[in-house]
Amino acid sequence: MEKQLGKFRAIQNSDLELMLSWRNMPSVRRYMYTRHEITLEEHRLWWEKVCSRSDQQYFLYEYDSTPLGVVGFSQINNDDMNSSWAFYASPEAPRGTGSRMEYLALEKVFREMMLHKLYCEVLDFNGAVIKLHQKFGFSIEGTFREHHQVDGEYVDIIRLGILKGEWELIRESILKKLISQR
């Protein structure tokens, strides 16, 4: 499956500048809560905090040994068996990268981490990502109305979630579609 979909690998300190370059691209940061250009010092401090926490895991996504994105799981709750997640791809990543990352993230959460639920929050104007999550079986669980300010305007936050049983029902058909697109 790695040959067809790629893989997640541990993030090394040597990856931080590449990750930051993607994260600071206007096409990426416009869909993030933190929208300013992040300094390398800020990024390194953030990474130190991530590494010190047991409720967060971040990975670099690679396809054909080429780094193409970042996937992060946070608020991992082993009592309630759920986690939040987020991802971003390199602006130069080929079409389909987000779908491959999403498939691997769902497999990691439900087959390796053995969690019951995965959830996320998306700025309401990021319709492409909302549709992507829905394609993978996520349901809209709610809207945090005018919850976050973007350029001085309040925007809604869409909360989406998927349960392990829901993923199990569609994972094979999603995998077939992803493989046939290659």
Side-chain angles (χ1 to χ4, degrees):
M1 188 161 52
E2 180 181 319
K3 188 167 182 69
Q4 295 151 328
L5 298 181
K7 68 175 185 172
F8 293 157
R9 71 160 172 82
I11 294 172
Q12 308 298 320
N13 285 334
S14 59
D15 298 318
L16 293 178
E17 289 187 37
L18 176 63
M19 291 168 53
L20 180 60
S21 71
W22 297 337
R23 176 61 179 79
N24 273 338
M25 293 296 289
S27 61
V28 172
R29 82 172 183 253
R30 72 181 291 240
Y31 295 113
M32 301 292 197
Y33 283 134
T34 304
R35 295 170 53 94
H36 71 276
E37 197 159 327
I38 298 167
T39 66
L40 183 57
E41 181 180 341
E42 280 179 280
H43 191 58
R44 288 186 197 277
L45 288 171
W46 165 81
W47 183 242
E48 285 177 22
K49 287 180 187 173
V50 166
C51 291
S52 72
R53 297 182 59 149
S54 62
D55 68 339
Q56 296 187 13
Q57 295 181 25
Y58 280 77
F59 301 92
L60 203 67
Y61 168 74
E62 288 185 339
Y63 186 78
D64 281 340
S65 301
T66 302
L68 293 174
V70 176
V71 172
F73 303 101
S74 60
Q75 301 173 39
I76 301 169
N77 182 326
N78 289 313
D79 293 328
D80 292 326
M81 304 302 289
N82 62 46
S83 176
S84 178
W85 87 293
F87 75 99
Y88 60 92
S90 159
E92 294 85 31
R95 185 169 171 77
T97 297
S99 292
R100 290 189 300 275
M101 291 169 65
E102 186 137 352
Y103 183 89
L104 293 174
L106 287 160
E107 287 291 279
K108 179 154 198 71
V109 163
F110 295 131
R111 298 217 163 215
E112 289 179 38
M113 297 167 70
M114 302 303 290
L115 297 181
H116 175 69
K117 179 178 181 178
L118 185 64
Y119 61 92
C120 59
E121 296 178 358
V122 182
L123 298 170
D124 74 337
F125 56 83
N126 194 351
V129 168
I130 293 168
K131 286 179 184 172
L132 177 67
H133 291 325
Q134 289 175 313
K135 179 177 102 174
F136 279 82
F138 281 80
S139 297
I140 293 177
E141 297 185 330
T143 301
F144 299 115
R145 297 178 309 124
E146 297 185 9
H147 194 75
H148 185 71
Q149 282 194 54
V150 174
D151 299 329
E153 300 288 325
Y154 285 99
V155 299
D156 294 346
I157 302 297
I158 308 301
R159 167 83 179 246
L160 298 106
I162 184 171
L163 304 175
K164 181 177 185 171
E166 295 167 338
W167 175 241
E168 290 299 326
L169 292 174
I170 64 169
R171 65 181 289 278
E172 287 298 324
S173 65
I174 298 277
L175 179 60
K176 286 177 186 172
K177 287 178 189 172
L178 289 174
I179 290 172
S180 71
Q181 293 171 358
R182 294 301 309 151

